[in-house]
């Protein structure tokens, strides 16, 4: 980059896949001699890694781009890039609406960020790269290669894209069809991370259970878990997200049998009546989902089950909404991400004429959150007094002198102890339940 300190700042919206993509961009920039900026003012490259899954975060990106206009005016040499799902599906529009953007780089090309940033810095701007040739193998390190930062808990994408076409979802249209990374690639990356201090990995995909289907010689996802189980130095394995349609007996067995695989599954249900599930093109019934939950709970005692729930899908009646709530009461999720339906371009549901008014969608969302909060709190309260293994991952954001750890069931516990325990496994008694997790004490 001519004459300017090579300092970057990445702002991330959306899901864990996006977070992982940001980590990968950071690692690739580091490798080319860039350094993370302490503040935005110090940065000469700002990347906005965006999300399209709902409309609201898209508005937010345009407003942040507006704010960055001043940053850009004061340093015309600096480079402003937009990546992620919005870049992929609305690239031209972004350049038209925010002409101070230098680079629009899509979800298939983001691993070229450093090269594009240097081209833009040399004056070649704007650059629009939203080509869709899928390369799932983008990796922060090859076998034996160093990474600038190997976090204690790392996120490792194993499959990108989605071939499910739920009728509300923009992701398959933006991120393209499923593409699995070769298992050797995944293993090599995890091994490098572990060698440098990572102790827990979360394997990521829009649907990790589709892993391997597009590879000539598999393996299936449960087989991938089994391969990682044997890696010494790795303590915990997590994975997300799982399509309920694709949960197999082999997967349930793998969670039960493999000691490093944590007792937690994120299993988005989306809706609770057969008619809505059918209209959403989800490929399972309420009965099937209930059966799955029973099998998981009987085979893996203490498993935590979390979910995604959407309200206000087109045509959802008040009675269907109530029926869904009753199903969630029966299931008793440990926690849920809750969303009001948002019509998205390219999706079948967006064209329907029976859209639910925004006010009603938000009102249902409020009722759902209230119910689920009570269920989450009750689930946590039942665990008070129990002991749990924690991976201590740092100091608490709030609360002077407290450390923060995660249970195998992915719940947060704050407790008082010396900072030298960060990065170790400890046992704590859960003393107080909250919505966000627990207060605890070392045993
Ligand atoms: N509107 C609202 N929520 C959505 N999600 C996906 N598409 C939409 C949409 N159009 C939610 C789903 C998914 C989560 C990542 O986002 O619940 O599981
Ligand atoms: Fe957002 Fe979905 Fe893209 Fe993730 S995959 S960034 S949630 S649109």
């Amino acid at each position: 980059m001519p004459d300017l300190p090579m300092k970057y700042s990445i702002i991330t919206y959306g899901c864990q896949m996006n977070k992982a993509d940001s980590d990968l961009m950071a690692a690739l920039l580091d490798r080319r001699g860039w350094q993370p900026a302490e503040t935005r003012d110090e940065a000469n490259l700002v990347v906005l890694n965006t999300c399209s899954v709902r409309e609201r975060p898209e508005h937010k990106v345009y407003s942040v781009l507006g704010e960055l206009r001043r940053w850009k005016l004061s340093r015309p040499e600096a480079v402003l890039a937009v990546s992620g799902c919005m870049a992929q599906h609305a690239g031209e529009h972004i350049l038209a609406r925010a002409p101070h953007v230098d680079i629009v780089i899509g979800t298939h090309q983001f691993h070229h960020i450093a090269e594009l940033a240097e081209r833009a810095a040399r004056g070649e701007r704007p650059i629009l790269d939203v080509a869709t040739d899928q390369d799932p193998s983008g990796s922060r390190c090859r076998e034996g290669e160093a990474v600038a930062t190997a976090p204690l808990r790392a996120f490792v994408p194993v499959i990108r894209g989605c071939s499910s076409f739920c009728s509300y979802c923009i992701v398959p249209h933006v991120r393209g069809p499923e593409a699995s990374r070769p298992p050797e690639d995944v293993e090599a990356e995890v091994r490098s991370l572990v060698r440098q201090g990572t102790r827990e990995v979360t394997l990521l995909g829009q649907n990790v259970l589709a892993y391997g289907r597009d590879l000539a010689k598999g393996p299936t996802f449960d087989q991938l878990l089994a391969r990682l189980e044997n890696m010494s130095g790795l303590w915990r394995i997590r994975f997300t997200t799982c399509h309920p349609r694709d949960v197999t007996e082999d997967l349930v067995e793998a969670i039960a049998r493999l000691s490093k695989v944590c007792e937690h599954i994120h299993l988005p249900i989306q809706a609770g009546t057969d008619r809505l599930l059918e209209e959403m093109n989800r490929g399972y019934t309420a009965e099937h989902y209930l059966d799955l939950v029973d099998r998981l709970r009987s085979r893996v005692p203490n498993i935590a089950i979390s979910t995604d729930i959407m309200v206000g899908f087109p045509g959802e009646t008040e009675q269907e909404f109530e029926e869904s709530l009753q199903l969630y009461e029966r299931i008793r999720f440990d926690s849920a991400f809750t969303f009001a339906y948002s019509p998205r371009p390219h999706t079948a549901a967006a064209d329907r004429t029976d859209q639910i008014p925004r006010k009603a969608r938000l009102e249902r969302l409020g009722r759902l959150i209230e119910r689920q909060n009570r269920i989450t709190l009750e689930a946590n309260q039942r665990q008070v007094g129990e002991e749990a293994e924690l991976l201590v991952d740092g100091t608490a954001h709030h609360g002077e002198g407290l450390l923060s750890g995660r249970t195998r069931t992915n719940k947060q516990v704050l407790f008082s102890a010396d900072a030298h325990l960060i990065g170790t496994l400890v046992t704590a008694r859960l003393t107080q339940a909250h919505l966000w997790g627990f207060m605890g004490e070392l045993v």
Side-chain angles (χ1 to χ4, degrees), residues 15 53-54 168-170 268 270 308-310 337 339-344:
C15 62
V53 87
R54 282 170 298 280
Y168 51 80
C169 190
I170 193 174
Q270 310 298 3
D308 293 347
I309 300 173
M310 191 189 306
F337 294 114
F339 307 100
Y341 168 78
S342 163
R344 303 310 293 133

Side-chain angles (χ1 to χ4, degrees), residues 111-130:
H111 43 286
H112 298 138
I113 183 70
E115 184 192 320
L116 260 52
E118 284 152 29
R119 269 167 53 196
R122 285 195 298 267
E124 185 189 331
R125 43 176 103 178
I127 302 175
L128 175 70
D129 190 351
V130 291

Side-chain angles (χ1 to χ4, degrees), residues 13-19 21 49-54 84-86 107 169-171 174-175 206:
Y13 300 89
C15 62
Q16 286 168 325
M17 183 65 83
N18 252 20
K19 179 73 181 60
D21 290 351
N49 195 11
T50 62
C51 173
S52 295
V53 87
R54 282 170 298 280
C85 291
M86 252 179 98
T107 49
C169 190
I170 193 174
V171 171
V174 173
R175 288 197 171 243
Q206 261 71 42

